[in-house]
Structure formats: structure tokens, C-alpha cells
Amino acid sequence: MSSKVGKRRVYVTGAGFTRAFIPTAPLLVGNFENDHLVDAVRNMPAASRVLENERHHHSQGHINIERLMTRLYELMPYDQEQGSEGQFAFLLDELQNGFRRTIEGALEGYSFSRDSDLVSFVQHCCETSATCITFNYDELLDEALHATRKWNPYWGYGFFCRSSDSTVSNLIKGVVPCEQLLLKLHGSLNWWPRLGYTRPYALDAIVHHQTWEGYASRMFSPSVVAAHLDHEPFIVPPILTKSDLVAQPVLRLVWTLAFEKLATADAVTFIGYSFPATDAAARVLFSEALADLPIENITVVGLESQEEGVDALRARYREVLGPISDEQFYLQGALPWIQSLVKSDS
């Protein structure tokens, strides 16, 4: 862990951050209601063939969500001739729903208030005005930050994000700007487009809709509000070609803020982020935004015990960011690192 920690801190979190608190949270490869998918396309030969081909890559029939979604989303030149487009669109929709439900199911019933490490981490972020940048879709950090009463989902995402209640009421009370930012680069499961808006969505088309924001959810029943929202949340699906990053105004704004926060940071810590070689946009962001940050002010936190895995992780970071020393990689897990971080603050 780097000892040179400045005042302007940025924490970048990936799937490993959520898994540190919720071990069942999904990764890139996993079970995304796979049996249901098989049943859903049983009478669709083209979709069944592509699904089974993906599952054969894994001994337990798991799915690489990025690879399969990319295949279904991008299509091949011969798909139209074979009449596969409709089948693939159906399978993609089912896969996206299963992916979302898998994430929501892992977090269902989790009470962040019982986990002092998460509470301590978000309190540290608020006290130091640290920026959190995440590639995660889940609302683990959102809910924990909201509980501090120093962050709110109206101002805290980097753009003014109205409550879903605004679809049926103009009443907004008790909401003040906050300094703490949670920049979600791939969207969020609680960001929903208002019904009737089309892509690319204007900024005011996106609202936040979740159960943990009590003062909004009490105003109207969920069914009344949901009737005014699109059928799925606003997220960038895990596919290799992420055209939405440029096409969507809200993402252009969030990525611009992320670049500015990274470029002016005194210290940047990556927590549970695998730095995948397939995410070209993220690699460009970090390469360009951190070009002037002293290399010794970068810390990488993860959980990796196998020598092969350690070497691979270090190589991915060094390929983009430069010669990060072995000592700057803390690979004993996010929880002990957070505990040491909070201890050093006290």
C-alpha cells in the first residue's frame, strides 16, 4: 500500500468490491438463471445453438455474460440470412433480465448497517470528500452513502437525477447539493428512463428509483410510479462494443467528471477491479487521466493468492499505467485493507 496519500482521493471500485461484502454477487462468468434461458429458447434452434455453444466453454455450464451478450447484440453477417435475428433479440432480452435479477437477488436481504467495514469506508469517503468511481451496477455503495445523510441520489451521481416520484408529482423537498460524488460509469440498476423517451436519453429523462430512499418511496405506491418508467433500467450492458458511452448524454457527463477527478487526484486506489483487457474505454480513460499522477500514488487492492493470478493482474495494470511496484499491490482482500485505512484515519 502506498504511504503517499494526498488530499484529493479517488477510489475506483469493481465487482470485487461488492463481493468483499456479498460473496454471492456475480462476476463476469456465472449462472444468470441459465436453466431458465435454456427452457425459454427450447423451440428456437438458432438461439439454443448459440446458448449451448457458450455454456460448453465452462465445465459447469456457466455463461460469460460479456461474450454471450456481445454475440447476441452485435450479430454476424449470416444471421439475417438464417433468420436468427428475432430469436437472438428474444434471448438477449431474457439474458438481460436474468443478469439484472441475479445482481438484485445477491443483494436482497443484505443489511449494510450490520457491516461496520462498509459503514466505515463510506464515512471515510465523506469525511475526506473522496470521489468514488465504479463500474458496478448494484446499489451497495449508493445505499450506504445515503445512510450517512451527507450524500443523496439527487445530486450525488454527478448530474441532477430526479426521483421517480417526479413522474407523477413536482414535489421535491429536503434535498440539498452534496460534495460527495459516486460516478457510475456503466449506469445503475436504480437509474430508470421515463416512459415515452427514446434513445439517446436527455439528462432529465433519467430518474432514480429504489426502495432505500424512504422519503420518496412513501409518497406513492411502487405500481403507480413504475407505470411511468421504461421496462428496464439504464445500464450499459456488459458487451465489448459500448457505443452508449459516447451516444448517451448522461454517460458523457459522468465520464467527463470521472476524467476530471482522476486527472486532479493526489492518490487513486483501485478496489476489486480486475482491469479487464476487453474494456478498451476504461483503459484509455485511466491511461490518459492518470498520465501526470506520480506512479507511487496508485494503489491496487484485490484478493488473489495464486502466483499466476497475481502476475496476470499486475501485468494488466502495468500495461496501461506503467511500472507500479509490487508493494503497491495489496492482494489480501478489500476488507482488511479498508480496516487498515480506517485505522490510519483515526
Side-chain angles (χ1 to χ4, degrees), residues 9 14 49 94 96 119 154-155 157 170 179-180 194 209 218 221-222 227 255 271 300 321:
R9 308 184 188 190
R49 182 178 65 252
E94 290 293 306
Q96 288 174 328
V119 171
Y154 288 85
W155 296 97
Y157 290 127
N170 289 323
E179 294 183 4
Q180 176 68 40
R194 297 170 61 138
H209 179 67
R218 285 195 300 268
S221 69
W255 277 69
I271 310 175
V300 179
L321 301 181

Coordinates of all heavy atoms in Angstrom, one line a residue, residues 9 14 49 94 96 119 154-155 157 170 179-180 194 209 218 221-222 227 255 271 300 321:
R9 N -8.6 12.4 -3.0 CA -8.6 10.9 -3.2 C -9.7 10.5 -4.2 O -10.8 11.0 -4.2 CB -8.7 10.2 -1.9 CG -7.8 10.7 -0.8 CD -8.0 9.9 0.5 NE -7.2 10.4 1.6 CZ -7.0 9.8 2.7 NH1 -7.6 8.7 3.0 NH2 -6.3 10.4 3.7
G14 N -14.6 -2.1 -8.5 CA -15.1 -3.1 -9.5 C -15.9 -4.2 -8.8 O -16.3 -4.0 -7.6
R49 N -28.7 -22.9 -30.1 CA -27.4 -23.3 -30.5 C -26.3 -22.4 -30.0 O -25.3 -22.8 -29.5 CB -27.3 -23.3 -32.1 CG -25.9 -23.7 -32.6 CD -25.9 -23.8 -34.2 NE -26.1 -22.4 -34.7 CZ -27.2 -22.0 -35.3 NH1 -28.3 -22.8 -35.4 NH2 -27.3 -20.8 -35.8
E94 N -34.1 -11.9 -22.5 CA -34.2 -12.8 -21.4 C -32.8 -12.8 -20.6 O -32.9 -12.9 -19.3 CB -34.5 -14.2 -21.9 CG -35.9 -14.4 -22.4 CD -36.9 -14.3 -21.3 OE1 -36.8 -15.0 -20.3 OE2 -37.8 -13.4 -21.5
Q96 N -30.6 -10.3 -20.3 CA -30.5 -9.1 -19.6 C -31.4 -9.1 -18.3 O -30.9 -8.6 -17.3 CB -30.9 -7.9 -20.5 CG -29.9 -7.6 -21.6 CD -30.4 -6.5 -22.6 OE1 -31.6 -6.4 -22.8 NE2 -29.5 -5.8 -23.1
V119 N -19.7 0.6 6.4 CA -20.0 1.9 7.0 C -18.8 2.8 7.2 O -18.8 4.0 6.9 CB -20.8 1.7 8.3 CG1 -21.0 3.0 9.1 CG2 -22.1 1.0 8.1
Y154 N -30.0 12.6 -5.6 CA -30.4 13.8 -6.5 C -29.2 14.4 -7.1 O -29.2 14.8 -8.2 CB -31.3 14.8 -5.7 CG -32.7 14.3 -5.3 CD1 -32.9 13.5 -4.2 CD2 -33.8 14.6 -6.2 CE1 -34.2 13.1 -3.9 CE2 -35.0 14.2 -5.9 CZ -35.3 13.5 -4.7 OH -36.5 13.0 -4.4
W155 N -28.2 14.7 -6.2 CA -27.0 15.4 -6.6 C -25.7 14.5 -6.7 O -24.8 14.9 -7.3 CB -26.8 16.6 -5.7 CG -27.8 17.6 -5.6 CD1 -28.9 17.7 -4.8 CD2 -28.0 18.7 -6.6 NE1 -29.7 18.8 -5.1 CE2 -29.1 19.4 -6.2 CE3 -27.2 19.1 -7.7 CZ2 -29.6 20.6 -6.9 CZ3 -27.7 20.3 -8.3 CH2 -28.8 21.0 -7.9
Y157 N -24.8 11.8 -8.1 CA -24.3 11.0 -9.2 C -23.6 11.8 -10.3 O -23.2 11.3 -11.3 CB -25.5 10.3 -9.9 CG -26.1 9.2 -9.1 CD1 -27.5 9.1 -8.8 CD2 -25.3 8.1 -8.6 CE1 -28.0 8.1 -8.1 CE2 -25.9 7.1 -7.9 CZ -27.2 7.1 -7.6 OH -27.8 6.0 -6.9
N170 N -44.5 17.1 -8.8 CA -43.4 18.0 -8.9 C -42.8 18.3 -7.5 O -41.9 19.2 -7.4 CB -43.8 19.3 -9.5 CG -44.1 19.1 -11.0 OD1 -43.3 18.4 -11.7 ND2 -45.1 19.8 -11.5
E179 N -21.2 17.4 -1.8 CA -19.9 17.4 -2.4 C -19.5 16.0 -2.9 O -18.7 15.8 -3.8 CB -18.9 18.0 -1.5 CG -19.1 19.4 -1.1 CD -18.0 20.0 -0.2 OE1 -17.0 19.2 0.0 OE2 -18.0 21.1 0.2
Q180 N -19.9 15.0 -2.1 CA -19.5 13.6 -2.4 C -20.1 13.1 -3.7 O -21.3 13.3 -3.9 CB -20.0 12.7 -1.3 CG -19.7 11.2 -1.4 CD -18.3 10.9 -1.4 OE1 -17.5 11.5 -0.6 NE2 -17.8 10.0 -2.2
R194 N -37.7 7.6 -18.1 CA -39.1 7.9 -18.0 C -39.8 7.3 -19.3 O -39.2 7.3 -20.4 CB -39.3 9.4 -17.9 CG -38.8 10.0 -16.6 CD -38.8 11.5 -16.7 NE -40.2 12.0 -16.8 CZ -40.7 13.0 -16.1 NH1 -39.9 13.6 -15.3 NH2 -41.9 13.4 -16.3
H209 N -34.8 5.4 -8.9 CA -36.0 4.6 -8.4 C -35.5 3.4 -7.6 O -34.9 2.5 -8.1 CB -36.8 4.1 -9.6 CG -38.0 3.4 -9.3 ND1 -39.1 3.9 -8.6 CD2 -38.3 2.0 -9.5 CE1 -40.0 3.0 -8.5 NE2 -39.6 1.8 -9.0
R218 N -42.4 6.7 0.0 CA -43.6 6.8 0.8 C -44.7 7.6 0.1 O -45.9 7.5 0.5 CB -43.3 7.5 2.2 CG -42.6 6.6 3.2 CD -42.7 7.2 4.6 NE -42.1 8.5 4.7 CZ -40.8 8.7 5.0 NH1 -40.0 7.7 5.3 NH2 -40.4 10.0 5.0
S221 N -47.4 4.6 -4.3 CA -47.2 3.2 -4.3 C -46.2 2.8 -5.5 O -46.2 3.5 -6.5 CB -48.5 2.4 -4.5 OG -49.0 2.6 -5.8
P222 N -45.4 1.8 -5.3 CA -44.5 1.4 -6.4 C -45.1 1.2 -7.8 O -44.6 1.5 -8.8 CB -43.8 0.1 -5.9 CG -43.9 0.3 -4.4 CD -45.2 0.9 -4.2
A227 N -45.4 2.5 -13.5 CA -46.2 2.6 -14.7 C -45.7 3.7 -15.6 O -46.0 3.8 -16.8 CB -47.7 2.8 -14.4
W255 N -18.6 10.4 -17.4 CA -17.2 10.1 -17.8 C -16.3 11.3 -17.8 O -15.2 11.2 -17.4 CB -17.2 9.4 -19.2 CG -17.5 7.9 -19.1 CD1 -18.7 7.3 -18.8 CD2 -16.6 6.8 -19.3 NE1 -18.6 5.9 -18.8 CE2 -17.3 5.6 -19.1 CE3 -15.2 6.8 -19.7 CZ2 -16.7 4.4 -19.2 CZ3 -14.6 5.5 -19.8 CH2 -15.4 4.3 -19.6
I271 N -10.1 -0.8 -6.1 CA -10.5 -1.8 -5.2 C -11.4 -2.8 -5.9 O -12.5 -2.5 -6.4 CB -11.3 -1.2 -4.0 CG1 -10.6 0.0 -3.4 CG2 -11.6 -2.2 -2.9 CD1 -11.4 0.7 -2.3
V300 N -3.4 -0.7 -5.6 CA -4.3 -1.7 -6.2 C -4.7 -2.7 -5.1 O -3.8 -3.3 -4.5 CB -3.7 -2.4 -7.4 CG1 -4.7 -3.5 -7.9 CG2 -3.3 -1.5 -8.5
L321 N -0.8 1.6 -16.9 CA -0.4 2.7 -16.0 C 1.1 2.8 -15.8 O 1.5 3.8 -15.2 CB -1.1 2.5 -14.7 CG -2.7 2.4 -14.8 CD1 -3.3 2.3 -13.4 CD2 -3.2 3.7 -15.4

